[in-house]
Amino acid sequence: MVREVLECLKFPTMFIEWIMVCISTATFTIQLNGGDYRNFQGRRGLRQGDPLSPLLFVLVMEYLSRLFQEASSHAEFKFHPNYKYNRMVHLMFANDLIVCSATKITLVQRLMTAFHRFSQSSGLIANREKSQRVMGGCNHRQRQSILAVTGNQEGTLPFRCLGVPISSNTLSKLECSMLVDKITKRIRVWATKTTSYKGRVTLINSVLMGIFSFWANIFIIPQGAIKEVENYIEISFGVLMKHIKKSLISHGMLFASLRKMGACDSKT
């Protein structure tokens, strides 16, 4: 499939041959009990960690994107209500894929047909144990029909993607428990170690604020969740709290203000 994609994208012939040599001549060896065994040739793909692998993966995923684009180009196709203006069908990061559409079984079938075409061409299939179908605005019968077509289990909001919860509404304090747990787990480890005053300040400012800023770039963090983190740090580190308390609050207020002005995009 790689050759077909490269040819379709009109890469130079010599460049395509170089890539195919890298793919088809890769060999592997196994070390067992300290001994090396003879090399053997792989049947498909590149070795793990090959720098060429992610670049080729992006090109192959372009084929999937074009299949979804073709499936959604028909006049009867209806986009997800939140994405009908930018005509977005899917979001993809590495091997994580989110597909969006209106909850009509004919539309779901069209998208599944496109995905099956991609699977047959590339050999890549969805992991059904990790795949979910989240639906809203449809009755029980529609839900069961769509689940039967996709073969996925039904999921609920919020669901996790790239380590953060995805929800249709502003996150509540309860839904931010994942963020609070991440930070408090780190604090528990640090609080038991004999780290210097300056070292603890550095850990809090760099690591904890890094985690918080990552979430604040995507969501508006509830003040209740910020307060819970503040209290836990204050109990664990005492006087160090005064160095970061204002920083936590300013982060939350900054991104809330940007969100209201429309300057902070959810993709940022």
Side-chain angles (χ1 to χ4, degrees):
M1 178 185 178
V2 174
R3 179 185 289 274
E4 287 79 0
V5 171
L6 294 173
E7 290 175 349
C8 180
L9 295 175
K10 302 190 183 302
F11 280 87
T13 303
M14 183 174 291
F15 179 82
I16 295 175
E17 294 303 323
W18 289 343
I19 297 299
M20 295 311 299
V21 167
C22 291
I23 295 176
S24 59
T25 61
T27 58
F28 306 86
T29 186
I30 298 176
Q31 286 189 343
L32 184 62
N33 296 329
D36 292 337
Y37 290 80
R38 65 182 181 84
N39 292 346
F40 59 93
Q41 192 167 5
R43 290 183 178 271
R44 58 186 295 178
L46 298 167
R47 64 176 176 82
Q48 186 175 5
D50 192 299
L52 192 61
S53 181
L55 302 177
L56 293 178
F57 182 80
V58 170
L59 293 177
V60 172
M61 289 301 105
E62 175 64 20
Y63 175 55
L64 176 60
S65 296
R66 295 191 180 194
L67 287 175
F68 282 147
Q69 184 177 7
E70 179 185 357
S72 63
S73 63
H74 296 271
E76 67 272 14
F77 189 89
K78 290 186 179 180
F79 294 88
H80 187 282
N82 290 340
Y83 307 125
K84 61 183 178 182
Y85 296 108
N86 56 14
R87 302 176 65 82
M88 188 182 75
V89 177
H90 70 291
L91 289 171
M92 186 162 35
F93 184 85
N95 58 349
D96 289 326
L97 175 66
I98 299 177
V99 183
C100 311
S101 75
T103 51
K104 288 186 63 177
I105 189 167
T106 54
L107 307 182
V108 175
Q109 287 174 330
R110 188 181 295 277
L111 292 174
M112 289 301 298
T113 299
F115 186 81
H116 288 323
R117 283 178 58 189
F118 170 77
S119 296
Q120 291 171 358
S121 301
S122 65
L124 300 174
I125 60 175
N127 186 337
R128 293 196 173 186
E129 293 183 1
K130 295 183 178 180
S131 301
Q132 293 183 335
R133 180 71 56 174
V134 180
M135 293 168 281
C138 56
N139 56 42
H140 178 75
R141 184 176 179 181
Q142 288 175 310
R143 279 190 167 90
Q144 294 305 311
S145 299
I146 292 173
L147 292 174
V149 169
T150 61
N152 301 139
Q153 56 184 335
E154 185 172 5
T156 57
L157 292 172
F159 62 89
R160 289 186 61 180
C161 182
L162 303 179
V164 296
I166 306 299
S167 177
S168 58
N169 302 312
T170 303
L171 290 184
S172 64
K173 179 184 174 181
L174 180 62
E175 291 168 341
C176 284
S177 59
M178 193 188 307
L179 169 63
V180 176
D181 289 343
K182 272 189 176 182
I183 293 178
T184 54
K185 282 179 183 177
R186 305 244 181 179
I187 295 173
R188 289 192 197 102
V189 175
W190 297 340
T192 58
K193 293 186 176 180
T194 55
T195 310
S196 65
Y197 176 87
K198 181 179 280 189
R200 292 186 180 188
V201 172
T202 302
L203 286 172
I204 292 173
N205 284 333
S206 60
V207 181
L208 296 189
M209 293 309 301
I211 296 173
F212 184 85
S213 296
F214 174 74
W215 277 58
N217 259 312
I218 307 171
F219 308 110
I220 299 175
I221 308 298
Q223 288 295 326
I226 297 175
K227 188 66 178 176
E228 188 173 347
V229 174
E230 288 177 357
N231 292 338
Y232 198 91
I233 296 175
E234 190 168 11
I235 293 171
S236 302
F237 293 136
V239 71
L240 291 180
M241 187 58 206
K242 66 181 182 181
H243 293 279
I244 63 166
K245 188 171 183 179
K246 291 183 179 179
S247 183
L248 277 171
I249 295 173
S250 63
H251 269 75
M253 293 179 64
L254 170 63
F255 285 102
S257 300
L258 290 174
R259 184 77 65 175
K260 289 179 181 177
M261 294 186 296
C264 188
D265 192 349
S266 61
K267 296 180 183 179
T268 303

